């Protein structure tokens, strides 16, 4: 487990105004990390990811057995920050029946005909499951804040500040509702630098196996980098709460991001202090009777044998 003191620096304290420049994108470049050296960090990150995967699988089983809570993990980021890879690596050890991933794309006309939270509500994890939102209702205060013309029919052409404040309030109330109903909500902003995004885009352009990952739309969005960072700062400032905190994860090094997310998820589920359901005396008696009866049965499919 990573020292909780270290994790604290990545949590957006409720009520604070976020300045993304004050959060690192490359944790290995910090003084604390330089002392350790890159190879040590890489090895340690690998161990943490491995450890957390095992704990996470056990935690998910307990989540299912206790049947009192669900977990919702929200991932948001600029393009190429590593959302897909992080989700794949962190969840790779978990029973596929115990988790579900939803990737949200541009809303359909049907979705745009409903309130903005509708499509996300339908995708929430049921009790006992871990649900992952690869993009989420936060897109409705991020991409459309940068491009209000994509808000869809029935929405203002030039939304004012109040419009966005109302959406943040809706989101906070929605998350409060989820928390009250037993959903643990954890939110991750994978914080990548503009330089690292360029490097990853170039890799997609230069490596034939990665061509499919490149979209011209991503280039167009890169030109709005500053507007996106501002929209993220505003959203993170308005919606990091004790019950649904935002984590700003340094994402320039994939192994750092993956280890941090895995550790945070694992620790938060363990902190729920879930327990396997207690078996009643009556049920124990029934189990004993069933065992006795089973032992007396024949292994042959011929009932006379
Ligand atoms: P990708 O995750 O790369 O497949 O891209 C999905 C695209 O859908 C991104 O460009 C998102 O900005 C866009 N998108 C997701 N949710 C919304 C939304 N609520 N409104 C508009 N665009 C969205
Ligand atoms: Mg994309």
């Amino acid at each position: 487990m990573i020292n909780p003191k270290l994790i604290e620096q990545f949590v957006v304290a409720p009520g604070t105004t976020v300045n993304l420049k004050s959060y690192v994108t490359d944790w290995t470049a910090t003084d604390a990390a330089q002392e350790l050296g890159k190879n040590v960090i890489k090895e340690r990150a690998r161990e943490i990811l491995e450890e957390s995967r095992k704990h996470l699988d056990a935690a998910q089983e307990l989540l299912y057995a206790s049947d009192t809570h669900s977990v919702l993990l929200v991932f948001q980021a600029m393009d190429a920050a590593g959302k897909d890879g992080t989700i794949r690596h962190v969840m790779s050890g978990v029973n596929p029946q115990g988790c579900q991933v939803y990737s949200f794309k541009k809303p359909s006309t049907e979705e745009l005909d409903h309130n903005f939270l509708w499509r996300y509500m339908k995708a929430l994890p049921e009790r006992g499951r871990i649900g992952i939102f690869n993009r989420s209702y936060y897109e409705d205060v991020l991409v459309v804040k940068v491009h209000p013309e994509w808000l869809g029919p029935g929405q203002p052409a030039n939304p004012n500040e109040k419009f966005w404040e109302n959406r943040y309030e809706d989101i906070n109330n929605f998350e409060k509702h989820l928390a009250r109903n037993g959903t643990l909500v954890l939110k991750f902003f994978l914080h990548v630098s503009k330089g690292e995004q360029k490097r990853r885009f170039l890799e997609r352009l230069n490596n034939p196996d990665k061509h499919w990952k490149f979209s011209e739309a991503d280039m167009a969005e890169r030109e709005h980098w500053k507007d996106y960072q501002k929209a993220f700062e505003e959203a993170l400032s308005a919606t990091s709460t004790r019950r649904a905190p935002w984590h700003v994860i340094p994402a320039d090094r994939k192994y750092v991001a993956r280890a941090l997310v895995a550790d945070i998820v694992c620790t938060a589920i363990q902190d729920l202090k879930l327990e396997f359901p207690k078996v009643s005396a009556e049920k124990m008696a029934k189990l004993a009777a069933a065992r006795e009866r089973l032992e007396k049965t024949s292994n042959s499919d011929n009932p006379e044998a």
Side-chain angles (χ1 to χ4, degrees):
M1 202 184 109
I2 304 175
N3 185 341
K5 277 264 166 283
L6 180 79
I7 298 293
E8 242 171 59
Q9 63 185 297
F10 305 119
V11 182
V12 176
T16 51
T17 304
V18 173
N19 171 6
L20 282 177
K21 292 230 157 63
S22 66
Y23 287 88
V24 290
T25 55
D26 182 2
W27 187 75
T28 62
T30 60
D31 291 345
Q34 298 260 305
E35 254 173 54
L36 288 171
K38 237 171 222 162
N39 287 340
V40 174
I41 295 172
K42 211 167 181 171
E43 183 52 27
R44 185 73 192 106
R46 204 189 51 76
E47 284 166 13
I48 291 168
L49 182 61
E50 206 48 53
E51 251 171 58
S52 302
R53 272 181 187 152
K54 282 189 205 128
H55 290 306
L56 209 53
D57 186 40
Q60 193 283 320
E61 199 185 337
L62 185 52
L63 192 69
Y64 189 76
S66 58
D67 200 26
T68 55
H69 287 75
S70 56
V71 177
L72 176 66
L73 309 178
V74 170
F75 288 89
Q76 289 290 159
M78 297 297 287
D79 292 310
K83 291 194 299 325
D84 303 67
T86 304
I87 293 168
R88 181 156 46 91
H89 279 82
V90 173
M91 303 312 293
S92 63
V94 177
N95 178 353
Q97 294 193 84
C99 63
Q100 50 207 42
V101 185
Y102 283 89
S103 298
F104 293 99
K105 312 285 176 189
K106 286 197 170 61
S108 66
T109 39
E110 188 198 13
E111 288 167 342
L112 285 174
D113 276 342
H114 290 268
N115 70 71
F116 82 94
L117 291 173
W118 182 73
R119 66 171 179 157
Y120 309 101
M121 286 184 186
K122 290 195 302 176
L124 288 170
E126 61 214 75
R127 260 199 324 279
R129 300 269 173 93
I130 301 177
I132 295 162
F133 282 3
N134 183 347
R135 300 185 190 271
S136 67
Y137 41 91
Y138 282 98
E139 289 295 334
D140 298 80
V141 291
L142 292 166
V143 62
V144 289
K145 198 167 190 186
V146 176
H147 299 283
E149 67 278 15
W150 295 348
L151 270 169
Q155 303 297 337
N158 291 303
N160 57 17
E161 247 339 280
K162 188 70 191 153
F163 175 87
W164 302 113
E165 279 167 20
N166 287 345
R167 283 203 166 188
Y168 299 141
E169 190 182 322
D170 287 345
I171 289 175
N172 283 335
N173 286 335
F174 176 55
E175 290 177 346
K176 188 171 183 174
H177 169 71
L178 295 181
R180 279 176 171 167
N181 286 274
T183 301
L184 170 68
V185 184
L186 299 171
K187 303 178 294 198
F188 299 95
F189 169 61
L190 303 188
H191 189 23
V192 76
S193 65
K194 202 174 175 194
E196 179 62 19
Q197 187 196 55
K198 184 180 188 172
R199 213 188 56 71
R200 292 184 191 175
F201 278 176
L202 282 172
E203 201 176 303
R204 290 178 183 184
L205 289 167
N206 294 336
N207 179 350
D209 288 347
K210 294 201 170 180
H211 283 170
W212 65 274
K213 273 192 167 188
F214 187 81
S215 139
E216 272 170 49
D218 293 350
M219 273 307 300
E221 294 319 295
R222 179 174 165 84
E223 315 217 321
H224 296 287
W225 184 274
K226 258 190 154 163
D227 298 332
Y228 272 105
Q229 297 287 304
K230 185 162 176 278
F232 270 113
E233 285 176 342
E234 288 163 349
L236 266 54
S237 304
T239 62
S240 195
T241 56
R242 191 185 40 78
R243 68 181 80 84
W246 270 110
H247 301 81
V248 179
I249 301 294
D252 279 0
R253 307 282 168 182
K254 291 176 178 170
Y255 55 90
V256 170
R258 290 167 187 171
L260 285 172
V261 171
D263 183 87
I264 292 166
V265 174
C266 211
T267 305
I269 299 181
Q270 285 171 349
D271 284 351
L272 290 174
K273 306 260 182 288
L274 300 175
E275 282 178 24
F276 282 102
K278 297 254 179 314
V279 179
S280 66
E282 191 189 350
K283 175 98 190 210
M284 285 300 279
K286 280 189 179 151
L287 293 177
R291 188 183 306 115
E292 200 176 319
R293 200 168 144 205
L294 179 64
E295 274 163 1
K296 284 186 192 144
T297 59
S298 159
N299 286 338
S300 162
D301 55 10
N302 176 0
E304 303 304 316

